[in-house]
């Protein structure tokens, strides 16, 4: 059986993907992949996602330059979630989020309110032109 056939794609042909920084264990972001995105990710060693809003493949960093080099792809016990172990590269290494932060998971619940728990490392207006 082909390794791609072992993935449990949802009704839209997608699978959720978590990108984790290999060196620190930090969860950087959540995205989706279709079959072609996963195939290209493995082939290129670079994160390629499926953008639901754009309706097409999205090469992480295609606009921002914040590329993810993939070291390992893991699948959960139900074969319906993927984990990428990555190194975040680019002009400003360590920025994974379009907000200019290290991680997309920067909101922290404290005392019943969401606060921004990570600083902006670079103004997104200077990243996306």
């Amino acid at each position: 059986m082909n390794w791609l056939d072992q993935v449990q794609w949802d009704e839209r042909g997608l699978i959720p993907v978590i990108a984790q920084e290999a060196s620190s264990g930090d969860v950087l972001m959540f995205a989706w992949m279709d079959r072609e995105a996963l195939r290209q990710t493995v082939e290129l060693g670079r994160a390629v996602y499926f953008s639901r809003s754009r309706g097409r493949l999205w090469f992480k960093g295609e606009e921002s330059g914040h590329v993810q080099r993939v070291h390992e792809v893991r699948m959960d016990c139900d074969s319906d979630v993927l984990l990428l172990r990555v190194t975040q590269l680019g002009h400003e290494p360590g920025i994974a989020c379009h907000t200019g932060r290290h991680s997309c998971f920067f909101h922290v619940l404290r005392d019943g309110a969401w606060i921004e728990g990570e600083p902006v490392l670079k103004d997104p207006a200077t990243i996306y032109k």
Side-chain angles (χ1 to χ4, degrees):
M1 176 184 281
N2 181 304
W3 63 274
L4 284 164
D5 294 334
Q6 295 176 300
V7 175
Q8 295 299 309
W9 307 100
D10 73 7
E11 65 282 351
R12 299 164 297 173
L14 301 174
I15 189 167
V17 182
I18 299 163
Q20 179 185 41
E21 189 171 51
S23 62
S24 68
D26 291 349
V27 175
L28 298 177
M29 57 178 283
F30 169 86
W32 296 90
M33 283 185 176
D34 65 2
R35 187 180 187 97
E36 183 61 15
L38 179 54
R39 187 190 68 72
Q40 286 199 35
T41 294
V42 170
E43 182 179 301
L44 300 172
R46 173 186 174 181
V48 180
Y49 299 107
F50 182 82
S51 171
R52 294 177 304 160
S53 61
R54 298 174 187 140
R56 65 170 177 83
L57 292 183
W58 161 45
F59 289 75
K60 175 67 174 152
E62 67 187 26
E63 293 179 32
S64 66
H66 300 141
V67 174
Q68 292 173 343
R69 182 175 62 224
V70 177
H71 300 284
E72 185 175 52
V73 180
R74 292 184 176 222
M75 188 165 60
D76 79 328
C77 56
D78 295 322
S79 305
D80 62 359
V81 177
L82 298 177
L83 173 70
L84 302 184
R85 307 252 312 142
V86 305
T87 297
Q88 190 68 48
L89 304 170
H91 306 293
E92 302 84 21
I95 296 177
C97 185
H98 75 281
T99 66
R101 291 178 174 85
H102 174 63
S103 169
C104 293
F105 294 93
F106 61 86
H107 291 105
V108 180
L109 185 60
R110 294 234 172 93
D111 300 321
W114 292 105
I115 64 162
E116 294 182 0
E118 283 192 22
V120 173
L121 302 175
K122 185 163 185 183
D123 181 352
T126 64
I127 297 171
Y128 302 94
K129 299 179 181 176

